[in-house]
Amino acid sequence: MAFPFELLATSPASSARRARLRTAHGTIETPAFMPVGTQATVKAATPAQLHEIGAQIILGNTYHLNLRPGPGLIRELGGLHKFMGWDGPILTDSGGFQVFSLAKLRKITDDGVSFRSHLDGAEIFLGPRECMDIQTALGSDIAMVLDECPPWPAKEEDVRAAVDRTLRWAKTCRDIWTELGQPEKGRHLFAIVQGSAFANLRRECAEALTALDFPGYAIGGVSVGEPEPEMLAAVAAATPYLPANKPRYVMGVGTPPQLLKMIALGADMFDCVMPTRLARHGVAFTPDGPINLKNAQFARDPKPLVEGLNNYTCNHFTRAYLRHLFMAGEILGCTLLTLHNLHFFQDLMTQARNQIETGTFEKWSQEWCARYEAALIKGDPLPEGE
């Protein structure tokens, strides 16, 4: 495979980048948003529908797939692509974030982390070797190193310890990945920058990982409860110290304005459950902010969710009908809103790529965010839940 990351255009007024990332299962145009397929499925959407709305790459969750159905079964049945019927690129996370956020009674050592399954309480160990073996069995195009994600807030000495452990694990993961022959198969391993809200630790971690020469780099430990200004500051503290000729992936974010603000900081790739999770609660994304279709004001609304947006939901259904589906408890409502929300995010990334190419990203982005965020000031709070 030729050098996998090609920088096509940069913004004259910010750090926004337009690029292309090649993988064994296809090319990803960046900036890119990745729908989250936690358990080998993007909830309420088929692979064919994901292709139709323009998804280039989806994310699978190593923690959950390791517990159920297990990497051995997935390997036996031809790997994750064949197992879930998706022929495009797949990124799998390391499982580290879920271990630290979901698992009970965990014990962290320099060798890895022992924890109990959230499903049945079984004791499980996840270290660099296990993390690389699982992702090798899954056969994803992009794998992630094992890292330690500190909580927010945290003391600097605790975050430094997490950064030091993350760096040791990153080197070990890289060595094991090479030993397993994965680079020769065109599979990429990304490192993860940690450091919480401490800019000095973010820089140290980014510089140390850059010296290890990974194919790509992620910024982790954001959107873990901190206010948005701190989240953006954490990304800004890392991106200048990551190599310009490698992709940069901000993990687990975010709202549409957050994505645009992080693109301006030099980020290329994103994933988040927000568009699918909110869809299942009747919330649709629009350029004027999210709307909750369960509100009575939409009962007789004959308009599509977004005028002129070319997706199946907007082309065929009114807000009134979509509200009816949710009020009646019909599953179709979840699917139609999931497709719309994911397409909304994909369309936003397409617009961002075009604006970077024409050198107008900053003005367009600022105007786009101002329109979206103006509606949030007077809008209803969004529902929470799975």
Side-chain angles (χ1 to χ4, degrees), residues 145-169:
V145 301
L146 183 64
D147 64 318
E148 181 179 347
C149 178
W152 183 91
K155 297 178 181 179
E156 184 171 357
E157 57 265 34
D158 294 332
V159 177
R160 179 172 289 280
V163 166
D164 290 344
R165 188 171 284 122
T166 291
L167 293 174
R168 287 195 295 272
W169 286 350

Side-chain angles (χ1 to χ4, degrees), residues 10-17 239-240 248 262-268 362:
T10 56
S11 170
S14 74
S15 296
R17 298 133 53 94
T239 50
R248 304 164 182 163
M262 291 183 191
I263 289 171
L265 295 172
D268 306 303
E362 284 67 35

Side-chain angles (χ1 to χ4, degrees), residues 255 274 278 281 283-285 289-292 372 376 379-385:
T255 67
M274 183 183 301
L278 288 182
H281 290 272
V283 176
F285 284 89
I291 59 173
N292 190 338
Y372 184 96
L376 297 180
D380 296 324
L382 298 178
E384 297 180 356

Side-chain angles (χ1 to χ4, degrees), residues 4-243:
F5 189 70
E6 180 183 4
L7 199 59
L8 302 176
T10 56
S11 170
S14 74
S15 296
R17 298 133 53 94
R18 166 77 176 92
R20 184 171 290 145
L21 174 60
R22 295 179 181 87
T23 76
H25 283 86
T27 298
I28 304 154
E29 306 291 340
T30 70
F33 178 83
M34 300 180 283
V36 177
T38 300
Q39 305 200 65
T41 176
V42 176
K43 287 182 176 17
T46 69
Q49 290 169 327
L50 295 173
H51 278 302
E52 185 178 337
I53 56 96
Q56 304 179 80
I57 174 174
I58 62 176
L59 185 143
N61 189 284
T62 296
Y63 171 87
H64 288 284
L65 293 175
N66 181 48
L67 296 182
R68 182 176 56 193
L73 185 147
I74 293 176
R75 186 204 293 268
E76 177 186 332
L77 295 177
L80 188 55
H81 293 84
K82 186 175 181 180
F83 185 65
M84 66 183 295
W86 170 259
D87 59 2
I90 296 175
L91 182 149
T92 49
D93 63 8
S94 67
F97 177 78
Q98 283 71 34
V99 169
F100 296 112
S101 64
L102 292 178
K104 305 295 184 182
L105 303 175
R106 59 182 179 264
K107 180 182 179 182
I108 307 168
T109 70
D110 287 345
D111 295 326
V113 54
S114 300
F115 62 97
R116 294 197 177 274
S117 164
H118 74 286
L119 296 177
D120 59 9
E123 187 170 346
I124 299 171
F125 177 79
L126 185 66
R129 168 64 67 178
E130 290 75 14
C131 182
M132 295 298 95
D133 284 344
I134 294 167
Q135 292 182 87
T136 296
L138 297 178
S140 53
D141 299 274
I142 301 173
M144 306 301 300
V145 301
L146 183 64
D147 64 318
E148 181 179 347
C149 178
W152 183 91
K155 297 178 181 179
E156 184 171 357
E157 57 265 34
D158 294 332
V159 177
R160 179 172 289 280
V163 166
D164 290 344
R165 188 171 284 122
T166 291
L167 293 174
R168 287 195 295 272
W169 286 350
K171 184 179 185 304
T172 304
C173 286
R174 185 200 63 176
D175 294 344
I176 295 170
W177 193 249
T178 302
E179 169 197 317
L180 293 171
Q182 298 308 300
E184 289 78 6
K185 298 178 181 179
R187 301 184 62 211
H188 309 317
L189 180 66
F190 283 19
I192 304 175
V193 177
Q194 290 291 349
S196 188
F198 300 98
N200 59 315
L201 296 182
R202 288 282 178 183
R203 176 175 179 173
E204 287 178 26
C205 192
E207 290 178 334
L209 290 172
T210 295
L212 293 175
D213 193 26
F214 281 86
Y217 296 86
I219 298 171
V222 295
S223 193
V224 290
E226 78 278 19
E228 182 178 303
E230 281 199 25
M231 177 175 64
L232 295 173
V235 175
T239 50
Y241 305 103
L242 294 173

